[in-house]
Amino acid sequence: MRSVTTQSERAEWARHAEAAISAAGLRAGGARKAVVDLLAQQDCCLTAQEIRDALVAAPGSTPGMASVYRALDTLTDLHLVHRVDLGGQVARYEPARADGDHHHHAVCRGCGAVTAIEDDALESALHQMADRLAFEVDAHDITLHGYCARCTARK
Ligand SMILES: [Zn+2]
Ligand SMILES: [Zn+2]
């Protein structure tokens, strides 16, 4: 398993996001820019609440929850952000790489910890399956549910 994202991939996503936002005729700046800058530093997904908490803790503007949700909706519509549904009550959001490079998640039922999983063998197995089915796959969701090592040890 390789490390999830490199520094240059993150910087690349931020540039790609800024270009897509201006191509859509949207103004840069405000809550949207703050959300892009924050997500650009993430390896994995955050909830809207976690995003707002991080922005409030940082110096500068303190966007309200409504602006954070609006920014996330716009970024999701522009395919810059993936809305990740891990089966809980809250949606999570993470940067969607322009080249389609992505990862999946393992979620612990005990402590709720979310682990990013990236596996080339899994991705190529999915491609082969799509070929066999003659199915033009344009997205897939894979989430592992269970107990992390710490929770397993405590059981
Ligand atoms: Zn993730
Ligand atoms: Zn995948």
Side-chain angles (χ1 to χ4, degrees):
M1 221 178 279
R2 22 194 190 111
S3 113
V4 179
T5 40
T6 64
Q7 193 69 47
S8 75
E9 280 171 335
R10 292 180 209 168
E12 174 57 36
W13 178 79
R15 273 196 299 277
H16 161 65
E18 273 158 34
I21 287 164
S22 75
L26 298 169
R27 141 190 107 75
R32 199 184 303 120
K33 169 103 170 66
V35 171
V36 167
D37 289 348
L38 179 72
L39 284 176
Q41 298 161 35
Q42 305 304 313
D43 252 347
C44 196
C45 47
L46 293 176
T47 66
Q49 186 67 56
E50 287 167 343
I51 290 169
R52 175 162 192 265
D53 291 348
L55 294 180
V56 167
S61 67
T62 54
M65 241 5 249
S67 327
V68 170
Y69 275 118
R70 240 185 345 261
L72 288 170
D73 281 346
T74 305
L75 295 169
T76 306
D77 287 346
L78 293 172
H79 305 291
L80 295 169
V81 165
H82 274 309
R83 194 175 179 281
V84 183
D85 178 6
L86 297 179
Q89 300 296 314
V90 281
R92 291 164 179 273
Y93 300 87
E94 70 187 359
R97 312 280 158 204
D99 61 4
D101 197 19
H102 64 275
H103 62 257
H104 300 285
H105 302 94
V107 193
C108 178
R109 293 188 199 280
C111 66
V114 175
T115 306
I117 45 179
E118 190 169 21
D119 190 292
D120 292 340
L122 171 65
E123 299 300 327
S124 64
L126 288 167
H127 277 294
Q128 285 164 22
M129 191 193 303
D131 284 349
R132 263 197 321 272
L133 293 169
F135 195 93
E136 201 181 305
V137 176
D138 62 18
H140 60 254
D141 295 303
I142 294 166
T143 305
L144 306 185
H145 300 274
Y147 293 89
C148 71
R150 274 188 23 216
C151 288
T152 304
R154 244 187 264 131
K155 273 205 272 186

